Amino acid sequence: FLTGKLWFFFTLMVFVISQSILPNLHPGNADGEEGERIAIFVCRVFIYTCSMGQQVWHHGRKTLRDIRDKDFIRVGRCRVPASWGTWQETVGIFLTLLLLIMLCMEPIIYCFSDPEAVLFARNCAASADLAFPYSVASSAAMLMYFLSLSDLSVLSTRVSA
């Protein structure tokens, strides 16, 4: 449990660094220096492969197992896989979906097609329309990361008691 949470905390720190800290080091320079752009790109590749990849594998495996075993619960009028029944799993699924949405709207990917943009740029004509939706998805994903870590406070309270 603790090892998994430490890994999750590490991926949260990489996420915060790539989404909030590095892009705001030089507010006057929209894309930052080349080293900063490379660091942001590396961090985001890490998040999309390691964090999102792990989440897709984890939730996909549990969901497919529930479907195969016909193990469903009712949520309102809908039947959903039983593994979605806990708040931790639901938050994890939302986090996974938000990371997928962020990957689809990733400004660096859109700026690759812009011939006037510098390498690993985030601000270019091709990504201009996606800046606000991407920032909303990023904020929501950060909230899901922190919600997922909230059960560590419960562990701390139990250990202290």
Side-chain angles (χ1 to χ4, degrees), residues 18-87:
S18 74
Q19 298 296 326
S20 298
I21 297 173
L22 288 176
N24 295 308
L25 284 178
H26 297 98
N29 186 354
D31 278 319
E33 302 297 322
E34 182 179 14
E36 294 167 15
R37 292 192 312 269
I38 292 170
I40 290 170
F41 177 74
V42 168
C43 287
R44 290 187 182 176
V45 166
F46 174 82
I47 291 298
Y48 294 134
T49 55
C50 296
S51 182
M52 185 183 72
Q54 179 187 22
Q55 293 284 327
V56 167
W57 173 256
H58 172 79
H59 296 296
R61 188 180 46 149
K62 283 186 167 185
T63 299
L64 289 175
R65 185 187 64 223
D66 287 345
I67 291 170
R68 184 190 66 220
D69 296 342
K70 296 179 175 55
D71 190 11
F72 295 97
I73 59 171
R74 285 214 174 270
V75 177
R77 304 185 123 220
C78 298
R79 290 175 36 155
V80 297
S83 63
W84 297 9
T86 65
W87 71 268

Side-chain angles (χ1 to χ4, degrees), residues 33-161:
E33 302 297 322
E34 182 179 14
E36 294 167 15
R37 292 192 312 269
I38 292 170
I40 290 170
F41 177 74
V42 168
C43 287
R44 290 187 182 176
V45 166
F46 174 82
I47 291 298
Y48 294 134
T49 55
C50 296
S51 182
M52 185 183 72
Q54 179 187 22
Q55 293 284 327
V56 167
W57 173 256
H58 172 79
H59 296 296
R61 188 180 46 149
K62 283 186 167 185
T63 299
L64 289 175
R65 185 187 64 223
D66 287 345
I67 291 170
R68 184 190 66 220
D69 296 342
K70 296 179 175 55
D71 190 11
F72 295 97
I73 59 171
R74 285 214 174 270
V75 177
R77 304 185 123 220
C78 298
R79 290 175 36 155
V80 297
S83 63
W84 297 9
T86 65
W87 71 268
Q88 293 96 337
E89 288 294 320
T90 304
V91 168
I93 289 167
F94 279 123
L95 173 60
T96 305
L97 292 174
L98 285 165
L99 289 173
L100 283 168
I101 290 168
M102 286 175 60
L103 177 60
C104 292
M105 293 189 300
E106 178 58 55
I108 295 173
I109 295 172
Y110 281 85
C111 289
F112 276 144
S113 66
D114 191 339
E116 296 181 17
V118 294
L119 182 64
F120 303 135
R122 297 176 321 279
N123 301 300
C124 64
S127 70
D129 294 339
L130 297 172
F132 181 72
Y134 182 82
S135 68
V136 170
S138 175
S139 299
M142 195 169 301
L143 175 65
M144 294 300 127
Y145 266 113
F146 279 106
L147 283 173
S148 293
L149 282 176
S150 66
D151 57 347
L152 273 181
S153 65
V154 173
L155 174 70
S156 173
T157 304
R158 286 183 187 166
V159 169
S160 298

